[in-house]
Amino acid sequence: MKRFLVPFVLLVGIFSCSKGTEEVPTMDSVIEIDPGIVEVEAAGGTYTVSYSITDPAEDGVIETPICTDGWCNQFDVSEPGVISFNVDPNTVPGERSTEVTVLYSNAEEPAVFTVIQADPTKVLASDLDNTLWTAEVCEFDRDSTIFRLFTEYNELSYQTITAGEFADQYAIDYNMANPDSPISPDDALGFQFIDTPEYRSYVNVLFGGNQIEFVHGASNPAGGVAVTDFAGPYVFDESTGIITVNDKSNTNYEREVTIHVSKDGDYLLFRIIKMWWPETIADYYGGDKPYLGFNVTNYNGTQTYCPYGYLLYRMKLSQNEDEQ
């Protein structure tokens, strides 16, 4: 019996050695993405990143990237070394970001890149330079826009009401005269600029060479008038949307004008935050509140007011720079 023990042990050793020489798969590939951060426009669109693999495996496969946010989608890895994807338009105010995870079958660690999409309301310096914007509407705030009454002598009195009070009464008078097509007070919280062959009222803002010019005016068949409210060099802070103007349009004094701009689709929202006036005319214009050259009447046309305070101009890019 003992003479058979040695062959048996040797046989076991042979099988043991044979099993130890089998190749064990290793996850030693490394995948890298370039760029690691992708900044995209608010409008969205198709974008690409490149990837490279160190020590690729013969049968290695790039898997479809994973993103938990649905606005980053339609990943395509069919082209070697390239990942393309779609970004939906950002319609919500504020910047947004997401991470995309990319897996390679022979890599132990995934690669991750970040997609940052711009705030759709943010205005860039390039949006303004060498452009002419024309106001379609000036929007009022119920409480922060003040209406000062014109007297019968065509002078401003000290009698004031809020835009909300004006709009409430305007809606009452309009609805009494037009019961079949009523409006709400919110419909009266704005001034619609007119552009017809016979009559035109306008507000234009011209940007160019780090200079800004704000002009309002009106014209009719008998003639017209244009007034430069402020003009001069400006500094724009993209992060806050604040434009600071050194107004040099008046030869008697210089002043600082502060403006906030944002976007709403194709519209530039232009609001003057502060416009200082000399003491001699500060009372006339409501202290440091901006008053910019247009008047509104009540529905019956019996009273005329000039608005000041919160004035939000909704502007469109003009194709005709000769309008200025």
Side-chain angles (χ1 to χ4, degrees), residues 29-244:
S29 299
V30 177
I31 179 171
E32 295 180 332
I33 303 293
D34 183 37
I37 297 177
V38 183
E39 296 184 352
V40 306
E41 298 180 356
T46 300
Y47 293 83
T48 62
V49 294
S50 300
Y51 68 86
S52 61
I53 300 173
T54 304
D55 296 329
E58 291 186 5
D59 56 350
V61 176
I62 289 286
E63 300 181 15
T64 301
I66 301 169
C67 181
T68 57
D69 291 301
W71 53 268
C72 188
N73 49 58
Q74 298 182 27
F75 294 96
D76 185 353
V77 295
S78 59
E79 181 180 349
V82 176
I83 299 172
S84 67
F85 57 96
N86 175 73
V87 178
D88 293 339
N90 186 4
T91 59
V92 180
E95 182 181 272
R96 62 182 180 180
S97 65
T98 190
E99 289 188 342
V100 178
T101 302
V102 183
L103 299 172
Y104 179 64
S105 60
N106 199 52
E108 184 174 352
E109 296 293 334
V112 177
F113 68 92
T114 301
V115 178
I116 301 176
Q117 189 169 25
D119 180 352
T121 67
K122 183 177 181 179
V123 177
L124 304 178
S126 57
D127 295 327
L128 301 179
D129 197 30
N130 297 318
T131 58
L132 174 64
W133 299 83
T134 299
E136 292 187 357
V137 177
C138 181
E139 298 175 357
F140 307 138
D141 179 82
R142 286 189 62 87
D143 300 316
S144 301
T145 306
I146 308 300
F147 282 32
R148 179 165 286 182
L149 180 67
F150 268 103
T151 68
E152 59 182 319
Y153 303 105
N154 201 33
E155 294 181 354
L156 284 170
S157 71
Y158 285 91
Q159 180 179 345
T160 62
I161 60 174
T162 65
E165 292 171 321
F166 172 87
D168 291 342
Q169 188 60 50
Y170 192 99
I172 291 173
D173 295 337
Y174 179 93
N175 292 338
M176 289 182 64
N178 304 274
D180 295 332
S181 56
I183 64 172
S184 71
D186 287 346
D187 296 324
L189 286 174
F191 177 86
Q192 180 77 48
F193 291 94
I194 301 172
D195 189 5
T196 67
E198 294 78 22
Y199 184 80
R200 180 170 179 254
S201 61
Y202 61 89
V203 165
N204 286 341
V205 180
L206 178 66
F207 295 91
N210 292 323
Q211 300 279 324
I212 184 175
E213 186 176 17
F214 187 103
V215 177
H216 79 268
S219 61
N220 57 41
V225 61
V227 177
T228 298
D229 294 283
F230 57 84
Y234 73 92
V235 176
F236 178 46
D237 184 345
E238 285 188 354
S239 64
T240 61
I242 296 294
I243 299 174
T244 304

Side-chain angles (χ1 to χ4, degrees), residues 247-267:
D247 177 25
K248 297 179 178 291
S249 63
N250 193 302
T251 57
N252 295 321
Y253 59 85
E254 293 185 11
R255 62 179 176 175
E256 184 177 278
V257 180
T258 306
I259 302 156
H260 181 265
V261 292
S262 60
K263 288 194 296 188
D264 182 9
D266 293 333
Y267 285 97

